[in-house]
């Protein structure tokens, strides 16, 4: 299951995603973290350092890998939304998966994949959706089970809706500050993407007392509300260099995280629905742009016999 943290710029997405990653690491054998924000800060929030492969810069390499042995595409290129086929290479949520070994930063029971930031040549000419194409391809080739945990920090706002990432996440958690603008991001999302409301929840962040909590609930309702994380002096002390203060902050986050964890346990993915959405998005991408761009009919010949359930059965029993 995949959980994404969303919200307005500065609301605390990275802080909360990193906190939930650590919470799950303490309870789970392995956690796959994904920094899907082009302003990549998750690595430092997780206290990791060193070099990291930026997936957004390696789209051709990533799609060559995912393409594997498939024959249905002929010489046509893959795009981010190309549905998998029986010859594809897939990614398992495991430290030993060859893709994770090659592209993730691994430390103990954590692996981190990073989309990466803009490069000098992107300035003025590259949209961040371009960077996210690699990530879309990765998610559409990921064979994660219900008890696997994948946690993503995302870009600010509701732009995900415009990409196939909108259905790649099983659970969305909006991190909301007790302000009108911050809560509006969730209200906008509900309006734009009613089909995903069922899988979408809210955590209040930087909440200073009952009044703040009630304010957020008055804006977004109580049915989606999973809990509040206080405006924390412990976090500030940690960021000022007092290392132990992070444990006190983690305790302040824990109650809300218990409820996020519970949602993760309850959630089931409908693989057929996922594949149907992927086929629709792929067809839309091809008709709108890619068939013209590559001067070929990108839609013909795609392996319709593929099913995620079948390949999960085969790959996990080998
Ligand atoms: N519960 C909290 N209490 C106090 N400060 C917090 C809390 N959560 C986050 N912050 C602070 O708010 C600032 C923004 O947090 P963070 O970087 O996590 O937000 P973000 O939503 O990921 O931002 P961006 O949109 O830039 O990616 C940081 O300085 C962080 O320390
Ligand atoms: Mg962030």
């Amino acid at each position: 299951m995949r959980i994404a943290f969303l919200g307005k710029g500065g609301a605390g997405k990275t802080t909360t995603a990193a906190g939930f990653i650590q919470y799950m690491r303490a309870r789970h054998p392995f956690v796959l973290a994904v920094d899907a924000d082009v302003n990549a800060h998750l690595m430092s929030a997780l206290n990791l350092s060193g070099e990291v492969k930026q997936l957004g810069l390696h789209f051709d390499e990533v799609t060559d890998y995912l393409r594997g042995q498939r024959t249905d595409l002929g010489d046509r290129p893959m795009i981010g939304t190309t549905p998998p086929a029986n010859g594809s290479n897939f990614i398992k949520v495991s430290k030993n998966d060859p893709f994770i070994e090659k592209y993730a930063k691994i430390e103990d029971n954590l692996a981190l994949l990073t989309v990466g930031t803009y490069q000098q040549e992107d300035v003025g000419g590259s949209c961040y959706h371009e960077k996210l194409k690699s990530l879309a391809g990765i998610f559409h080739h990921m064979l994660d089970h219900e008890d696997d945990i994948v946690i993503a920090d995302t870009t600010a706002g509701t732009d995900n809706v415009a990409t196939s990432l909108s259905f790649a996440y099983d659970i969305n958690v909006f991190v909301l500050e007790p302000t009108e603008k911050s809560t509006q991001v969730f209200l906008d999302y509900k309006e734009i993407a009613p089909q995903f409301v069922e899988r979408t929840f809210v955590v209040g962040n930087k909440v200073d007392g009952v009044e703040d909590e009630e304010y957020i609930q008055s804006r977004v309702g109580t049915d989606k509300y999973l809990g509040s994380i206080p405006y924390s002096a412990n976090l500030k002390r940690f960021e000022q260099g007092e290392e132990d203060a992070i444990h006190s902050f983690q305790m302040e986050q824990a109650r809300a995280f218990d409820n996020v964890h519970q949602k993760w346990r309850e959630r089931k993915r409908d693989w057929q629905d996922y594949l149907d959405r992927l086929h629709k998005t792929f067809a839309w991408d091809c008709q709108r742009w890619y068939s013209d761009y590559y001067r070929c009919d990108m839609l013909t010949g795609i392996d319709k016999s593929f099913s995620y359930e079948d390949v999960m059965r085969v790959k996990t029993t080998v």
Side-chain angles (χ1 to χ4, degrees):
M1 290 288 126
R2 310 166 192 169
I3 302 186
F5 286 86
L6 298 97
K8 189 179 170 307
K13 298 176 292 298
T14 304
T15 305
T16 311
F20 189 63
I21 288 164
Q22 303 294 27
Y23 173 99
M24 287 305 277
R25 281 181 80 183
R27 289 163 178 78
H28 210 66
F30 180 70
V31 175
L32 177 60
V34 179
D35 191 342
D37 190 354
V38 282
N39 297 307
H41 298 305
L42 190 59
M43 185 160 152
S44 60
L46 290 168
N47 227 355
L48 300 175
S49 54
E51 284 297 298
V52 69
K53 267 216 160 195
Q54 299 189 23
L55 294 161
L57 297 181
H58 298 284
F59 180 72
D60 291 343
E61 204 180 304
V62 167
T63 47
D64 276 354
Y65 179 90
L66 300 175
R67 188 183 188 103
Q69 306 298 315
R70 66 191 291 181
T71 51
D72 57 325
L73 289 176
D75 56 4
R76 284 165 297 161
M78 274 183 72
I79 61 174
T81 50
T82 304
N86 289 315
S88 299
N89 274 334
F90 294 93
I91 300 167
K92 283 194 269 176
V93 179
S94 155
K95 206 171 170 168
N96 305 318
D97 178 87
F99 185 89
I100 304 236
E101 275 182 339
K102 181 164 182 198
Y103 289 100
K105 178 102 201 153
I106 299 180
E107 193 172 281
D108 304 324
N109 67 342
L110 172 68
L112 170 68
L113 292 172
T114 301
V115 167
T117 189
Y118 291 109
Q119 304 295 300
Q120 215 172 0
E121 60 270 24
D122 294 330
V123 175
S126 178
C127 141
Y128 88 98
H129 293 152
E130 273 306 293
K131 302 268 170 224
L132 293 177
K133 280 191 319 188
S134 301
L135 185 61
I138 289 165
F139 276 132
H140 304 327
H141 289 74
M142 191 177 281
L143 300 181
D144 48 331
H145 289 270
E146 276 165 16
D147 57 355
D148 286 325
I149 176 82
V150 183
I151 302 168
D153 178 24
T154 69
T155 38
T158 53
D159 276 354
N160 257 1
V161 171
T163 75
S164 64
L165 291 175
S166 57
F167 59 83
Y169 300 118
D170 302 289
I171 295 177
N172 301 314
V173 177
F174 273 83
V175 178
L176 302 185
E177 292 172 277
T179 65
E180 192 178 340
K181 281 188 182 152
S182 192
T183 49
Q184 191 60 42
V185 175
F186 172 71
L187 299 175
D188 290 347
Y189 181 84
K190 270 176 75 171
E191 190 103 0
I192 305 164
Q195 68 275 35
F196 300 128
V197 168
E198 178 230 349
R199 66 176 76 178
T200 302
F201 302 92
V202 166
V203 163
N205 191 38
K206 307 188 197 177
V207 172
D208 199 2
V210 180
E211 279 180 15
D212 275 355
E213 183 171 87
E214 285 175 356
Y215 174 77
I216 303 177
Q217 290 177 342
S218 73
R219 293 274 294 161
V220 305
T222 50
D223 56 327
K224 294 285 177 185
Y225 202 75
L226 298 185
S228 302
I229 298 169
Y231 195 99
S232 176
N234 291 311
L235 178 62
K236 189 169 73 185
R237 292 219 313 278
F238 172 71
E239 288 179 347
Q240 288 168 344
E242 206 179 306
E243 280 190 14
D244 282 350
I246 195 68
H247 302 301
S248 308
F249 181 52
Q250 282 166 350
M251 276 155 63
E252 292 175 313
Q253 292 173 305
R255 184 114 55 98
F257 288 167
D258 286 344
N259 292 331
V260 178
H261 190 192
Q262 186 57 31
K263 293 294 168 199
W264 170 75
R265 278 177 202 270
E266 289 166 8
R267 179 92 190 145
K268 306 266 175 271
R269 183 180 309 146
D270 179 343
W271 278 113
Q272 192 53 50
D273 177 67
Y274 189 106
L275 190 58
D276 290 346
R277 287 185 195 277
L278 183 55
H279 275 287
K280 271 195 205 124
T281 316
F282 176 63
W284 170 243
D285 281 348
C286 293
Q287 280 152 11
R288 206 171 33 154
W289 167 249
Y290 284 100
S291 289
D292 271 356
Y293 183 76
Y294 288 118
R295 293 172 188 278
C296 60
D297 182 357
M298 295 275 288
L299 274 172
T300 315
I302 290 289
D303 181 358
K304 292 269 171 52
S305 69
F306 170 81
S307 112
Y308 281 110
E309 284 98 334
D310 287 349
V311 82
M312 294 272 284
R313 262 193 296 278
V314 174
K315 295 277 174 196
T316 49
T317 49
V318 169

